[in-house]
Amino acid sequence: MSRPTEPAFSEPWHAQLFALTVHLNESGHFDWPDWAARFSATLARHGLTRDLDGGDDYFVAWLETLEELLAEQGAANPGEAAHMRNAWEAAYLATPHGQPVRLSDAQPHTPD
Amino acid sequence: MPHDHDPDHPHTLLPPEPALRVKALETILTRKGLVDPAALDEIIDTYQNRIGPQNGADVVARAWSDPSFRKALLEDATTVVADLGYYGRQGEHIVVVENTPERHNMVVCTLCSCYPWPLLGIPPGWYKSDAYRARAVREPRKVLAEFGVALSSDTAVRVWDSTAEVRYLVLPMRPAGTDGLDRAALAALVTRDSMIGTGLPQSPS
């Protein structure tokens, strides 16, 4: 076929985020109409200040929606998420170039 | 955050900020047993390699070749495409809208980006843009012209607004000069945009 092949996702994190959301939906953590309503609201809010181009900004809105939903459900609260984000950043900065990045075994303090 | 770009990359390059936040969520949920990383890989593989416009093109080519399939498809697309293995994992209904000389159909999701994933895969960037989402309804002919679709003034344009529950697929008109073509050759003429309504199928060469 002579059709140009565009990658489904332009960034790896778009794909990860998409998969995470679909997986959570499929395992019953939220239903899709609820997700779509929340996501629409985030897009509308972001679109008030500028025109979204449907690329990175689209998935940034998607991420914000998922973070809020998980915080609301208590599955990942903002403090935990920020802590884990910092742990990943530290892991990247501590890993020599070319080696796989792993979180250190010392688990960050997460409230049980 | 202190992160000077050293030309020798003494450490692994930091991924973009949102990527770190996605990794954080994934790690938290995996550690809590809410997410199975293997399932995530499987979903990504499916959407990157197995689901895409070729599925929709297969459906369109069948409809062009088989009048009884076409009739069933227009009556109850959800069931017909599920029988082919193209079913919505989010439980949505699929409705197929047929182009005719009198009416051209075009699909948008004004609120977010609802799209018939099982048939077309992940929507292109422009489908998700504010510009398309707002203008497809307001000035569809102008948008179509920008996509290179010129319609006769006798052809009405109908814009379908997708929702989380109902996703639309356009059944384009079969191009002229395709009488002897088999289903695979027909499917090769069906572009993604022709199934969104922002394009027309290719003509046989």
Side-chain angles (χ1 to χ4, degrees):
Chain A
M1 279 186 277
S2 58
R3 219 167 281 150
T5 49
E6 281 169 53
F9 302 99
S10 53
E11 296 283 339
W13 71 266
H14 298 175
Q16 286 300 128
L17 176 60
F18 173 85
L20 192 57
T21 310
V22 167
H23 182 45
L24 288 167
N25 164 243
E26 287 175 358
S27 28
H29 292 277
F30 47 84
D31 68 23
W32 202 257
D34 178 37
W35 164 261
R38 288 165 177 267
F39 181 43
S40 299
T42 313
L43 282 172
R45 205 165 57 236
H46 287 202
L48 290 178
T49 44
R50 66 206 170 87
D51 247 16
L52 306 180
D53 69 9
D56 245 26
D57 53 14
Y58 173 85
F59 282 103
V60 166
W62 183 305
L63 173 57
E64 188 181 306
T65 310
L66 185 63
E67 284 174 336
E68 285 172 7
L69 177 57
L70 292 173
E72 220 176 282
Q73 294 188 337
N77 69 51
E80 265 178 302
H83 192 90
M84 192 63 82
R85 177 232 165 268
N86 293 342
W88 270 112
E89 182 184 48
Y92 272 90
L93 295 176
T95 305
H97 186 64
Q99 290 187 21
V101 179
R102 293 204 178 87
L103 279 184
S104 65
D105 286 340
Q107 293 221 357
H109 300 287
T110 47
D112 282 323
Chain B
M1 67 197 99
H3 178 227
D4 296 327
H5 273 281
D6 185 306
D8 296 327
H9 298 324
H11 59 73
T12 306
L13 278 181
L14 265 184
E17 173 61 26
L20 289 172
R21 284 160 57 195
V22 173
K23 288 184 91 63
L25 291 182
E26 188 182 327
T27 307
I28 291 167
L29 297 172
T30 303
R31 286 185 177 174
K32 290 183 177 178
L34 299 174
V35 153
D36 169 12
L40 300 183
D41 292 343
E42 202 255 312
I43 291 170
I44 293 172
D45 178 57
T46 299
Y47 281 93
Q48 265 171 351
N49 303 313
R50 291 201 293 270
I51 294 187
Q54 70 275 12
N55 295 4
D58 172 47
V59 170
V60 169
R62 285 171 191 270
W64 284 347
S65 322
D66 177 351
S68 63
F69 179 91
R70 174 185 154 273
K71 184 167 180 286
L73 184 70
L74 293 172
E75 277 167 8
D76 180 9
T78 310
T79 306
V80 170
V81 302
D83 286 346
L84 295 174
Y86 309 141
Y87 50 88
R89 306 195 343 168
Q90 274 58 49
E92 68 273 22
H93 288 281
I94 291 178
V95 171
V96 171
V97 290
E98 186 181 35
N99 284 350
T100 63
E102 292 77 37
R103 188 175 81 181
H104 180 88
N105 297 287
M106 178 177 169
V107 180
V108 66
C109 174
T110 54
L111 286 179
C112 49
S113 53
C114 299
Y115 193 69
W117 289 349
L119 298 173
L120 296 183
I122 302 299
W126 57 260
Y127 185 85
K128 299 177 282 198
S129 69
D130 277 1
Y132 180 75
R133 294 193 287 116
R135 293 183 54 221
V137 173
R138 214 170 49 220
E139 43 187 18
R141 276 181 191 276
K142 211 167 156 190
V143 172
L144 285 174
E146 287 164 24
F147 275 94
V149 178
L151 297 173
S152 111
S153 54
D154 302 342
T155 307
V157 178
R158 170 80 200 262
V159 180
W160 300 85
D161 194 358
S162 313
T163 65
E165 290 91 357
V166 182
R167 322 280 177 100
Y168 299 95
L169 183 87
V170 174
L171 174 56
M173 285 191 285
R174 180 170 172 161
T178 55
D179 280 357
L181 297 187
D182 65 13
R183 226 169 58 208
L186 288 172
L189 302 175
V190 183
T191 60
R192 177 195 65 205
D193 290 4
S194 73
M195 295 180 278
I196 304 175
T198 52
L200 299 175
Q202 293 171 355
S203 293
S205 46

